[in-house]
Amino acid sequence: MDIAIASLALVFVFPLLLVVGTLIRLQDGGKAVYSQKRYGRNGRTFKCYKLRSMVANADERLQEILATNPEARAEWEETQKLVNDPRITPLGHFIRKTSIDELPQLINIIRGEMSLVGPRPIVENEIAKYGEYYRDYCAVRPGLTGLWQVEGRSDTTYEERVQLDVKYANSRTFTGDIMIMLRTVPAVLLSKGAR
């Protein structure tokens, strides 16, 4: 089901990806698609794809910000996000609010690295935040959408995110996945918790 729905969705959103990707290239000449090593089912790593919403040298800029701004460093260590992230481009703000930046992950779903529904894929330094619950995270494929996305996303604490991922991993059902997908539509349209 994941592969069939993701393949069909990719056909429909491809023109949108082409247009937005071209706009990203035009803004600064950098690559339109960004990939990052993420951890998936059974702890296996994979390249997670996103449309680039930040400046081309975002990783270097982050290190500069964290080294010179103690408040930003504390916020990053707590949430792995910066509310007022100066690295996000004007177009990036739009594609994040609308979740367009996540659409290339349909390719990850087709490749079997992700699912339509599951926890959001995490990076290495987030593993410690899961602690003993990392095994629950690893029990399922990460998802394009999930319980965290429909329960508030960035409006929740990281601890709440972990608990939502554990809850999903331990109680997932086909019907539950359908309900999460249906709840994703208004969450995206209303930009619920999107930053």
Side-chain angles (χ1 to χ4, degrees):
M1 187 180 81
D2 276 344
I3 293 170
I5 293 175
S7 300
L8 186 61
L10 191 57
V11 170
F12 281 100
V13 303
F14 184 76
L16 175 64
L17 291 174
L18 197 58
V19 169
V20 176
T22 301
L23 292 174
I24 293 169
R25 291 277 294 174
L26 290 174
Q27 73 184 354
D28 60 14
K31 292 181 178 179
V33 177
Y34 171 78
S35 68
Q36 186 179 42
K37 184 171 84 169
R38 301 287 178 113
Y39 286 75
R41 190 174 189 180
N42 299 321
R44 292 196 186 104
T45 60
F46 66 97
K47 284 186 177 179
C48 183
Y49 300 111
K50 293 180 81 169
L51 286 174
R52 183 170 58 86
S53 60
M54 296 187 176
V55 294
N57 62 339
D59 292 334
E60 293 85 6
R61 287 281 303 277
L62 176 63
Q63 295 313 311
E64 290 172 17
I65 293 165
L66 298 183
T68 58
N69 187 329
E71 290 178 5
R73 184 173 195 82
E75 181 183 359
W76 181 262
E77 288 173 358
E78 176 68 24
T79 65
Q80 297 296 299
K81 291 182 181 291
L82 298 175
V83 173
N84 297 309
D85 196 329
R87 301 173 300 154
I88 302 175
T89 65
L91 177 59
H93 280 290
F94 172 74
I95 64 173
R96 280 175 167 234
K97 277 280 196 188
T98 55
S99 297
I100 291 170
D101 64 322
E102 308 285 357
L103 292 176
Q105 289 163 30
L106 292 167
I107 294 167
N108 291 117
I109 295 170
I110 293 167
R111 289 168 54 140
E113 299 158 334
M114 290 178 62
S115 183
L116 290 168
V117 180
R120 287 300 295 150
I122 61 173
V123 296
E124 186 173 8
N125 62 355
E126 290 177 281
I127 293 173
K129 292 185 175 295
Y130 278 78
E132 64 181 296
Y133 300 115
Y134 180 59
R135 68 175 181 271
D136 295 289
Y137 168 85
C138 289
V140 294
R141 284 191 185 95
L144 181 62
T145 188
L147 203 50
W148 176 63
Q149 285 85 341
V150 299
E151 293 289 340
R153 268 163 95 174
S154 296
D155 291 337
T156 61
T157 66
Y158 207 98
E159 291 76 17
E160 289 170 326
R161 171 183 174 171
V162 170
Q163 290 308 310
L164 287 168
D165 287 348
V166 170
K167 179 180 176 181
Y168 173 78
N170 292 322
S171 63
R172 66 192 173 107
T173 63
F174 177 77
T175 307
D177 282 2
I178 297 297
M179 291 305 298
I180 289 171
M181 284 190 276
L182 292 175
R183 289 177 63 195
T184 298
V185 176
V188 169
L189 292 176
L190 297 172
S191 300
K192 185 181 177 186
R195 291 194 188 111

